[in-house]
């Protein structure tokens, strides 16, 4: 399902955008996709053109780039202006209730100057058998960072402006000029400083690249083990989360890209008749606390283009 946002008007109006709220199209159109979303309009149901979901329904759906080096807006939904008095009264009541609860808790359990920090760790990522290997490494136990594999621990930073070259974790990668589609960055949250760009092809197919860093404190091990762990994060927490799909391991071995040594694993996912091939390349960029990873993906017909992207890898 495509993310909420302004998309080119599916009715074909040139230069106009129509808002998709995740369920339906808006009545309103705009020539500026950076304006806030329009107010909700009535009960659920198609209120705009009957053209289906915006963009691609591929699980890696995202937002089309503008072709200009400007950030794609990520704005919270806003509604019509209303009186703030009821809101302020509710907020005041909530604060008062919070103070009462805090006082009762302090009297019952005791209090002091110490702050109680949450101590419950994130659960370990489950492993998934893939044709004789296990994604997630031989075990999802301690790694150099001393913790268990955490597929949700990236730093949240991403490259939101279209570029001809992206850099992260000590590595740079060049991409084709027509790769102006930014894939949903919430699908790659295991990465630091991620860049996820590519393009949509015919039907439900896409091709693209994801670049980022793998932090040791998130449990990522040496390149060989980390490449397997990345597959776990992609399948269990990324584009195919919750679908129970099994990756097909195609190849695995040591590599050298741009003078950087590492490990590559190639696997494929078949979903509703769409087969996507992934190349996971984990590289040692010289940082003792993290690794660099370059993931390319697309149909088998995109092999030559994706190989050129991998060959462009260089030390930053």
């Amino acid at each position: 399902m495509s993310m909420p946002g302004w998309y080119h008007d599916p009715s074909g109006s040139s230069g106009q955008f129509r808002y998709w709220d995740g369920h339906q199209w808006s009545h309103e159109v705009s020539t500026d996709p950076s304006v806030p979303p329009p107010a909700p309009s009535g009960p659920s149901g198609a209120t705009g053109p009957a053209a289906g979901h915006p963009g691609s329904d591929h699980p890696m759906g995202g937002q089309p780039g503008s072709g200009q080096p400007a950030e794609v807006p990520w704005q919270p939904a806003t509604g019509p202006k209303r009186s703030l008095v009821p809101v302020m009264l509710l907020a005041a009541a909530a604060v008062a209730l919070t103070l009462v609860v805090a006082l009762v808790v302090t009297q019952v359990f005791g209090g002091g100057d110490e702050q109680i920090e949450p101590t419950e760790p994130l659960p370990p990522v489950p492993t998934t058998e893939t044709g004789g290997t296990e994604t997630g490494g031989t075990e999802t136990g301690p790694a150099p960072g001393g913790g268990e594999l955490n597929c949700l621990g990236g730093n949240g930073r991403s490259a939101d402006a279209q570029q001809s070259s992206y850099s992260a974790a000590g590595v740079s990668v060049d991409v084709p000029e027509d790769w102006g589609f930014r894939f949903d960055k919430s699908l790659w949250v295991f990465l630091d400083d991620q860049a996820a760009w590519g393009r949509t092809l015919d039907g439900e197919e896409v091709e693209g690249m994801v670049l980022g860093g793998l932090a040791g404190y998130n449990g990522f091990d040496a390149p060989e083990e980390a490449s397997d762990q990345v597959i776990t994060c992609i399948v269990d927490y990324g584009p195919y989360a919750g679908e129970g799909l099994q990756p097909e391991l195609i190849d695995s071995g040591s590599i050298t890209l741009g003078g950087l040594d590492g490990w590559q694993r190639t696997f494929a996912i078949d979903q509703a008749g769409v087969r996507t091939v992934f190349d996971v390349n984990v590289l040692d960029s010289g940082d003792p606390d993290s690794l660099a990873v370059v993931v390319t993906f697309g149909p088998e017909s995109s092999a030559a283009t994706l190989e050129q992207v991998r060959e462009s890898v260089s030390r930053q």
Side-chain angles (χ1 to χ4, degrees):
M1 181 68 68
S2 298
M3 297 290 291
W6 289 100
Y7 293 84
H8 289 290
D9 187 359
S11 66
S13 301
S14 177
Q16 290 191 336
F17 298 83
R18 192 177 294 273
Y19 191 78
W20 174 259
D21 66 3
H23 301 284
Q24 61 186 13
W25 291 102
S26 67
H27 283 295
E28 296 83 352
V29 295
S30 173
T31 58
D32 182 4
S34 66
V35 299
S41 56
S44 177
T47 59
H53 302 154
S56 169
D57 281 337
H58 191 279
M60 288 178 289
Q63 295 189 7
S66 64
Q68 302 295 329
E71 291 191 2
V72 180
W74 286 80
Q75 300 178 354
T78 58
K81 294 183 179 180
R82 298 182 176 90
S83 171
L84 294 179
V85 174
V87 177
M88 294 175 65
L89 291 176
L90 288 174
V95 170
L97 180 60
T98 301
L99 292 175
V100 171
V101 172
L103 178 60
V104 171
V105 171
T106 302
Q107 291 176 343
V108 174
F109 296 101
D113 295 331
E114 295 184 358
Q115 274 196 315
I116 300 175
E117 299 290 340
T119 57
E120 185 67 23
L122 286 171
V125 176
T127 59
T128 305
E129 295 186 1
T130 61
T133 68
E134 282 190 309
T135 59
T138 54
E139 291 185 17
T140 57
E148 294 179 330
L149 178 60
N150 180 7
C151 289
L152 304 174
N155 62 14
R157 294 194 292 264
S158 64
D160 293 339
Q162 183 182 356
Q163 304 170 32
S164 61
S165 179
Y166 299 93
S167 299
V171 169
S172 293
V173 182
D174 298 334
V175 299
E177 292 182 358
D178 60 352
W179 278 19
F181 188 88
R182 187 189 66 196
F183 295 100
D184 189 339
K185 56 187 177 183
S186 69
L187 303 177
W188 319 97
V189 292
F190 57 93
L191 294 176
D192 290 345
D193 306 314
Q194 60 162 287
W197 287 82
R199 64 171 182 156
T200 58
L201 304 174
D202 294 336
E204 300 298 323
E205 294 182 328
V206 295
E207 67 179 18
M209 175 279 306
V210 181
L211 166 68
L214 302 173
Y217 58 75
N218 282 328
F220 290 101
D221 213 319
E224 180 176 356
E225 291 76 13
S227 64
D228 205 17
Q229 293 171 320
V230 168
I231 297 177
T232 292
C233 292
I234 291 174
V235 174
D236 293 343
Y237 290 84
Y240 305 100
E243 299 194 25
L245 299 176
Q246 296 295 318
E248 173 195 341
L249 184 64
I250 298 174
D251 194 15
S252 177
S254 60
I255 55 167
T256 300
L257 292 178
L260 301 171
D261 294 330
W263 198 270
Q264 180 187 66
R265 290 185 192 269
T266 303
F267 72 98
I269 288 284
D270 288 291
Q271 183 199 44
V274 177
R275 179 177 174 85
T276 304
V277 178
F278 290 77
D279 274 293
V280 176
N281 306 271
V282 179
L283 305 172
D284 183 355
S285 59
D287 187 337
D289 298 321
S290 68
L291 299 165
V293 61
V294 179
V295 180
T296 59
F297 51 86
E300 293 176 348
S301 59
S302 296
T305 299
L306 300 180
E307 180 63 25
Q308 289 179 352
V309 172
R310 291 191 294 273
E311 290 177 351
S312 75
V313 171
S314 62
R315 191 185 297 272
Q316 186 177 357

